[in-house]
Amino acid sequence: MLVMDVGSTKGDVIEAARRGLQDQLGAFVPAHPIAGKELSGVEHADAGLYAGRQVVLTPIKATRRSNVQRATQVWTGVGAKVVTMTAEAHDSAFAAVSHLPHLLAFAFVKAITAQPDGHRFLELAGPGFRDFTRIAAGDPAMWRDVLLANRDQVLQHSLAFRAALSQFEALMNAGDTQGLEDAIAAASRVRSKWHPGAAASPD
Amino acid sequence: MLVMDVGSTKGDVIEAARRGLQDQLGAFVPAHPIAGKELSGVEHADAGLYAGRQVVLTPIKATRRSNVQRATQVWTGVGAKVVTMTAEAHDSAFAAVSHLPHLLAFAFVKAITAQPDGHRFLELAGPGFRDFTRIAAGDPAMWRDVLLANRDQVLQHSLAFRAALSQFEALMNAGDTQGLEDAIAAASRVRSKWHPGAAASPD
């Protein structure tokens, strides 16, 4: 028997597996494929969804080694590249690069629509808005669970984000043209060089 | 003579035109095409860039009507759809749907890279991160100018964003599963229904 999940948080799933699987816990390989859509449901299935994507496995002490190998074969078989790490390292990293961006996108859309002219603003939005907010269309029940399961890590990364935002705003308030350009340039360089992991897909 | 700009802010450009064009001010039609790339320079030119996109014209009192018509013909000729409004309405709307998202994306990338494990985090980032941060690769000199030219509006919308973020965080801290799901669902519905203006492109 091989049991896997495909959730975006691992610490909470491992706790649930300990309770639910008990003496079968060795069969469990916690898994998180770094791929997805803002659409849920079997009618949006896509056979190529995992091609070229990373899948993170976070085996625990109890996990049988043979099952980690079988899990790796399953994911490699659908074209994914497997990475292994601890559940703690996983949950911290994904709070930063996935869960927090979702929270920010939800909050951003809420802030726009809460304004009297919000709907007029949305009519004028372009491709930048389209991409920045794509993840705000995510499944509410799923993202409620993710944000609550990984709450402490997400809130910690949110604090770091607010501090960075305050730094940019201070440069704007000071009219510090060179400082603001330098700060934007540093972010722009990082993002321009970035590509999706070692398992980069062409887009 | 017809003079147009294609800047992302209009109030400051109009001020500059008043100083620079003087008795030729009637020739000036302030323009903002809602299209672009995170790449600048003529080597990234794209003849289809404006097809199906909106272009906002913000004529001032001094602008000759015949020039607004000629400007409209130019933009319609490259496939764009023309919208007309005041410079003030433009600058408020674009602070909300374009300038603030850029500021947030710059701050988010800065916050990640400022952390000891930031570069490891980036290796794990997936398609959500890719789209959310695409605009963080924007041209530093251009975005420095936009954020400073429209500073007051951007900072005001940033305050509204922080308030919305605090509301989400309060729901997380309270463990309010239903409240959090409702808040996410409201944002998700807005974003799912959204498409780029009346001049929606197929993507």
Side-chain angles (χ1 to χ4, degrees):
Chain A
M1 185 172 75
L2 168 64
V3 179
M4 283 195 286
D5 75 303
V6 292
S8 301
T9 55
K10 300 270 66 78
D12 62 319
V13 173
I14 289 167
E15 285 313 303
R18 279 188 207 284
R19 291 193 303 272
L21 294 175
Q22 299 186 6
D23 61 349
Q24 297 293 329
L25 189 61
F28 182 51
V29 182
H32 176 202
I34 317 308
K37 299 181 173 184
E38 66 278 18
L39 300 165
S40 60
V42 72
E43 66 272 30
H44 301 295
D46 175 356
L49 187 63
Y50 302 117
R53 301 295 186 189
Q54 295 186 98
V55 173
V56 181
L57 302 183
T58 64
I60 54 177
K61 267 191 183 165
T63 306
R64 276 192 299 277
R65 289 198 167 215
S66 59
N67 267 8
V68 177
Q69 291 170 351
R70 289 164 70 196
T72 300
Q73 286 165 6
V74 168
W75 288 111
T76 307
V78 292
K81 183 186 154 111
V82 171
V83 179
T84 301
M85 64 181 68
T86 66
E88 294 72 25
H90 170 281
D91 286 355
S92 177
F94 284 91
V97 298
S98 172
H99 310 164
L100 178 61
H102 279 80
L103 176 63
L104 300 181
F106 296 139
F108 173 72
V109 171
K110 181 185 171 57
I112 298 262
T113 53
Q115 295 178 43
D117 287 332
H119 287 281
R120 188 172 59 79
F121 293 168
L122 290 176
E123 286 173 17
L124 292 165
F129 175 91
R130 177 194 64 203
D131 290 355
F132 183 76
T133 61
R134 181 180 65 80
I135 53 178
D139 182 66
M142 174 185 150
W143 284 101
R144 170 204 66 197
D145 289 347
V146 169
L147 293 178
L148 290 177
N150 207 15
R151 172 172 60 190
D152 294 347
Q153 296 278 7
V154 173
L155 292 176
Q156 194 178 318
H157 286 297
S158 182
L159 276 179
F161 163 77
R162 282 176 186 261
L165 179 58
S166 295
Q167 288 172 4
F168 275 90
E169 291 177 333
L171 293 168
M172 290 167 67
N173 272 318
D176 184 347
T177 53
Q178 191 59 54
L180 183 58
E181 181 177 345
D182 291 349
I184 295 172
S188 183
R189 270 196 305 276
V190 168
R191 180 54 183 81
S192 297
K193 283 192 301 184
W194 179 85
H195 62 98
S201 67
D203 61 351
Chain B
M1 185 172 75
L2 168 64
V3 179
M4 282 194 287
D5 75 302
V6 293
S8 301
T9 55
K10 300 270 65 76
D12 62 320
V13 172
I14 289 168
E15 285 312 303
R18 280 188 208 284
R19 290 193 304 273
L21 295 175
Q22 300 187 4
D23 60 349
Q24 297 292 331
L25 188 61
F28 182 52
V29 182
H32 178 201
I34 317 307
K37 300 180 173 185
E38 66 279 17
L39 302 163
S40 59
V42 71
E43 66 273 28
H44 301 296
D46 174 357
L49 186 62
Y50 302 118
R53 300 297 187 188
Q54 295 186 96
V55 173
V56 181
L57 303 183
T58 65
I60 54 177
K61 267 191 185 166
T63 308
R64 277 192 299 278
R65 288 198 167 216
S66 59
N67 266 8
V68 176
Q69 290 171 350
R70 290 164 70 194
T72 301
Q73 286 166 6
V74 167
W75 287 111
T76 307
V78 292
K81 182 186 155 111
V82 171
V83 179
T84 302
M85 64 181 67
T86 66
E88 294 71 25
H90 170 282
D91 286 356
S92 177
F94 285 90
V97 297
S98 171
H99 310 164
L100 178 61
H102 278 80
L103 176 63
L104 300 181
F106 295 139
F108 173 73
V109 171
K110 181 183 170 60
I112 298 263
T113 52
Q115 293 178 42
D117 286 334
H119 287 281
R120 187 172 60 78
F121 292 168
L122 290 177
E123 287 172 18
L124 293 166
F129 174 91
R130 176 195 65 203
D131 291 352
F132 183 76
T133 61
R134 181 181 64 81
I135 54 177
D139 182 68
M142 174 185 150
W143 283 101
R144 169 203 67 197
D145 289 347
V146 169
L147 292 179
L148 291 177
N150 207 15
R151 172 172 59 189
D152 294 347
Q153 296 277 8
V154 174
L155 292 175
Q156 195 178 317
H157 286 297
S158 182
L159 277 179
F161 164 77
R162 283 176 188 260
L165 179 57
S166 294
Q167 288 172 4
F168 274 91
E169 290 176 333
L171 293 167
M172 290 167 67
N173 272 318
D176 183 347
T177 53
Q178 192 58 55
L180 183 59
E181 180 177 348
D182 291 347
I184 295 172
S188 182
R189 270 195 307 273
V190 168
R191 181 53 183 81
S192 297
K193 284 193 301 184
W194 179 85
H195 62 97
S201 68
D203 62 350

